[in-house]
């Protein structure tokens, strides 16, 4: 699941990004409304976290604009404005939830989980991804092979989810860096190789059909259906 954090205070932005990645989400960040709109136009986010006091516009205007573009992903407003009027206005004008600063990370995560659950249609296919005997439960963030639980870190789960969503297609290191790590890391690093190596150690254990294939010099492909 991919989130967009719109926050101009870099300290909070960095904290949110790290914490949400730690919780198993893929995260993009924007420091103003313009950048947020550019990102939201090209990426289908599962949810957005939006600060109201942005340098170039009011967060409410951004939300209204995104709604006007047909973007219906749930929005959590995160704001220092705590009055009842502000909160009502936020909720009436496109926000799905409103959390005031300072906020508790655990509460933000719980609210996000609720919104994501509500937003996902109640059909199993959309909350589960399967390739052969590999199954990902996107709500519980749990992966199994032939029903046996794979003990993945949140980051490994995000990586596997990306591979499964692209099963049968070649994904390059640069694509993985962009989609899973949000390009935060210089492409020369071996972070992708290291994570694939660890992931493979958990997914393709002995006696199981290997699913993750390396195409030398190109990237990786997860066996298709
Ligand atoms: Ca702000």
């Amino acid at each position: 699941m991919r989130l967009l954090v719109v926050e101009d205070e870099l300290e909070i932005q960095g904290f949110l990004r790290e914490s949400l990645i730690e919780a198993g989400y893929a995260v993009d960040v924007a420091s103003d409304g313009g950048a947020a709109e550019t990102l939201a136009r090209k990426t289908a986010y599962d949810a957005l976290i939006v600060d109201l006091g942005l340098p170039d516009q009011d967060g409410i205007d951004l939300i209204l604009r995104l709604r006007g573009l047909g973007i219906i992903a749930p929005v959590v407003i995160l704001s220092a404005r705590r009055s009842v009027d502000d909160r009502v206005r936020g909720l009436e004008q496109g926000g799905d939830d409103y959390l005031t600063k300072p906020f508790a990370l655990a509460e933000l995560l719980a609210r996000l989980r609720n919104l994501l659950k509500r937003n996902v249609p109640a059909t199993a296919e959309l909350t589960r991804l399967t390739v052969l005997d590999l199954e990902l439960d996107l709500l519980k963030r749990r992966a199994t092979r032939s029903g046996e639980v794979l003990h993945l870190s949140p980051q490994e789960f995000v990586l596997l989810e990306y591979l499964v969503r692209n099963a049968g297609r070649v994904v390059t290191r640069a694509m993985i860096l962009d989609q899973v790590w949000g390009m935060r890391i210089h492409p020369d690093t071996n972070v992708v190789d290291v994570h694939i190596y660890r992931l493979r150690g958990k997914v393709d254990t002995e006696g199981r059909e290997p699913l993750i294939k390396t195409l030398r010099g190109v990237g990786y492909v997860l066996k298709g259906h």
Side-chain angles (χ1 to χ4, degrees), residues 134 136 152 156-164 199 203 222:
L134 173 68
L136 267 59
L152 306 182
E156 287 164 352
F157 188 91
V158 174
L159 176 58
L160 185 58
E161 179 183 340
Y162 180 64
L163 292 174
V164 168
L199 188 60
V203 175
L222 190 112

Side-chain angles (χ1 to χ4, degrees), residues 14-40:
F15 170 72
L16 282 172
R17 186 176 67 186
E18 296 305 319
S19 310
L20 293 168
I21 288 173
E22 184 67 27
Y25 299 102
V27 181
D28 289 334
V29 294
S31 300
D32 59 46
E37 190 186 324
T38 304
L39 285 169

Side-chain angles (χ1 to χ4, degrees), residues 7-9 51 53:
E7 169 65 72
D8 60 313
E9 278 169 69
D51 174 33

